Amino acid sequence: DAKTTQPNSMESNEEEPVHLPCNHSTISGTDYIHWYRQLPSQGPEYVIHGLTSNVNNRMASLAIAEDRKSSTLILHRATLRDAAVYYCILRVHAGGTSYGKLTFGQGTILTVHP
Amino acid sequence: NAGVMQNPRHLVRRRGQEARLRCSPMKGHSHVYWYRQLPEEGLKFMVYLQKENIIDESGMPKERFSAEFPKEGPSILRIQQVVRGDSAAYFCASSPRQLPDTEAFFGQGTRLTVV
């Protein structure tokens, strides 16, 4: 799988927007960009995914650079519950047949201050 | 629609015993994935199964570990003759179709402690 690079940690204040960056300079044309997060002592939770266009859902927005070599997860108003490890993952098609392995890196530890 | 259910949530085994971890995917999901998270480490893929078939087991240790997803019933991750190094959180996820163009839903995990 293509490699992603994320900052080890970021901090934010409650009710402020948070922009979590991810670099993936070796991304290929068929790679989807997935974001998951893991709250303390819980299982990972899907946040959002996209291919080329920016995506919005109830949790967050995903902004994908035009050349697709980077993306940014945007939390519009951080809450204390958003404190978690955020993972940016590329999921590739393998030989035309996609399959299910999500490769988690170290992620970004997001701290939200009251 | 209930989420991915894993049981037990906590499991304590003595060295040499067997551990059986169960995962019931979300209703309508036929794709199941198992991950392991060692203390203070990241999530590592173990195995991907579709009903009655192992699709990718590239992350499974070669010995003592096995997984199944029968036609009826939950997926089972089985660890024989457990050792202290098997102590970890084991997470199961399911999806309605093959990734990557869909999301995976994770359970709350089984925390295995080997004493």
Side-chain angles (χ1 to χ4, degrees):
Chain A
D1 292 344
K3 184 177 169 58
T4 63
T5 304
Q6 299 178 252
N8 290 333
S9 62
M10 291 186 65
E11 297 187 16
S12 174
N13 294 318
E14 202 173 8
E15 300 195 4
E16 290 184 355
V18 181
H19 291 233
L20 296 163
C22 181
N23 288 319
H24 28 78
S25 58
T26 59
I27 192 170
S28 70
T30 55
D31 291 351
Y32 281 79
I33 303 161
H34 283 247
W35 283 83
Y36 285 77
R37 70 181 186 181
Q38 187 174 22
L39 280 66
S41 301
Q42 295 193 27
E45 177 185 28
Y46 167 80
V47 178
I48 202 166
H49 76 280
L51 184 60
T52 56
S53 303
N54 294 343
V55 184
N56 299 296
N57 65 22
R58 63 174 180 80
M59 288 182 68
S61 295
L62 176 60
I64 301 173
E66 195 170 335
D67 63 5
R68 302 211 323 128
K69 293 183 184 301
S70 66
S71 60
T72 302
L73 179 70
I74 302 166
L75 307 178
H76 296 286
R77 289 184 64 192
T79 68
L80 296 178
R81 194 194 172 276
D82 291 322
V85 181
Y86 286 78
Y87 298 98
C88 170
I89 303 165
L90 299 185
R91 185 59 208 115
V92 302
H93 284 261
T97 301
S98 64
Y99 59 97
K101 186 164 56 179
L102 291 168
T103 302
F104 289 82
Q106 293 304 306
T108 297
I109 301 171
L110 175 65
T111 302
V112 180
H113 299 289
Chain B
N1 189 8
V4 176
M5 303 300 293
Q6 290 189 248
N7 66 81
R9 291 292 307 277
H10 299 273
L11 181 62
V12 179
R13 283 289 177 266
R14 296 186 184 279
R15 281 178 294 170
Q17 290 185 320
E18 178 181 287
R20 291 171 69 88
L21 287 62
R22 295 176 185 77
C23 169
S24 296
M26 289 182 70
K27 186 176 180 180
H29 289 195
S30 59
H31 301 260
V32 165
Y33 321 85
W34 285 92
Y35 289 78
R36 177 166 68 172
Q37 189 167 34
L38 294 165
E40 307 304 322
E41 293 190 18
L43 288 144
K44 303 294 184 189
F45 167 81
M46 299 182 75
V47 63
Y48 163 39
L49 309 103
Q50 196 177 356
K51 279 290 186 181
E52 300 185 274
N53 292 303
I54 296 175
I55 307 300
D56 180 358
E57 56 182 345
S58 58
M60 286 279 273
K62 294 287 185 269
E63 298 179 348
R64 301 186 298 109
F65 285 72
S66 63
E68 63 176 9
F69 188 18
K71 187 176 180 180
E72 300 292 337
S75 175
I76 305 288
L77 180 67
R78 182 182 177 206
I79 312 172
Q80 295 179 290
Q81 299 176 318
V82 296
V83 301
R84 290 236 171 95
D86 297 332
S87 295
Y90 292 82
F91 294 99
C92 166
S94 73
S95 66
R97 57 185 182 274
Q98 284 184 333
L99 299 172
D101 60 346
T102 186
E103 61 265 40
F105 296 84
F106 283 80
Q108 292 302 299
T110 294
R111 280 152 182 83
L112 172 66
T113 302
V114 180
V115 297

